[in-house]
Amino acid sequence: MPTVIRDWRAAQLLAFAAAAERAAVIETLDAAVADAKASHGWQSRTGAALLSIRREDPRPSAAGRGVLGAFGFEPIPLVGNTHRERSRKTGRLRQPRTWDMHGLFLEIGFRGRPGDHTIRRAADREFPTLPERIRAHLPAELRA
């Protein structure tokens, strides 16, 4: 007669897996942000695009299994009149913007200029390492 295992600690195993997954996602997103900041191919006068490469805090997925995280260019607040230029139409000084999203244009391109695809390249390099990072965050007895 086969032996029945009654206490296989499913809740504890799921908690270990969830904690390892969250830690690995944060580690992977941080590595992708660092990679994107180190390997961009544009010249920056203000540094606004470089400062806008960030990650979101991972949150539980809508299905209830796993975590979702993202990184990329986020709007950043600007302080003061960093881009006071004259309008080409009227010649008046433009109102200062409250946020800057120049990084998006660097990524996808604009006005006939090709995009740099910094975010995509960083994701292509870092995201394949997610399974190894999850495994590294699991307790030693579960890594078999």
Side-chain angles (χ1 to χ4, degrees):
M1 180 181 223
T3 305
V4 177
I5 300 173
R6 296 172 196 252
D7 184 22
W8 60 286
R9 306 178 307 181
Q12 187 178 12
L13 291 173
L14 289 173
F16 284 146
E21 180 185 22
R22 181 173 173 78
V25 166
I26 289 172
E27 185 179 326
T28 302
L29 291 174
D30 286 343
V33 167
D35 185 324
K37 286 183 176 184
S39 66
H40 65 83
W42 64 80
Q43 292 289 335
S44 179
R45 290 178 306 184
T46 64
L50 195 61
L51 290 174
S52 69
I53 300 175
R54 299 182 189 160
R55 73 164 167 86
E56 288 181 350
D57 283 329
R59 62 187 189 289
S61 68
R65 284 183 236 133
V67 294
L68 298 174
F71 85 106
F73 291 105
E74 292 183 358
I76 60 170
L78 293 177
V79 179
N81 299 333
T82 57
H83 292 109
R84 288 293 298 239
E85 297 174 353
R86 294 200 177 272
S87 170
R88 290 183 186 172
K89 257 186 186 178
T90 63
R92 288 187 238 154
L93 282 175
R94 291 183 179 162
Q95 293 297 318
R97 295 176 217 141
T98 57
W99 58 270
D100 195 356
M101 193 66 173
H102 282 89
L104 180 63
F105 299 117
L106 293 169
E107 183 72 12
I108 62 174
F110 69 102
R111 294 185 184 166
R113 295 183 182 125
D116 185 60
H117 307 292
T118 299
I119 301 299
R120 183 187 52 79
R121 286 184 287 118
D124 288 347
R125 284 190 289 267
E126 293 298 330
F127 288 178
T129 63
L130 181 61
E132 291 91 20
R133 287 181 172 144
I134 291 174
R135 187 171 186 268
H137 285 282
L138 287 171
E141 63 268 9
L142 297 178
R143 288 187 211 159

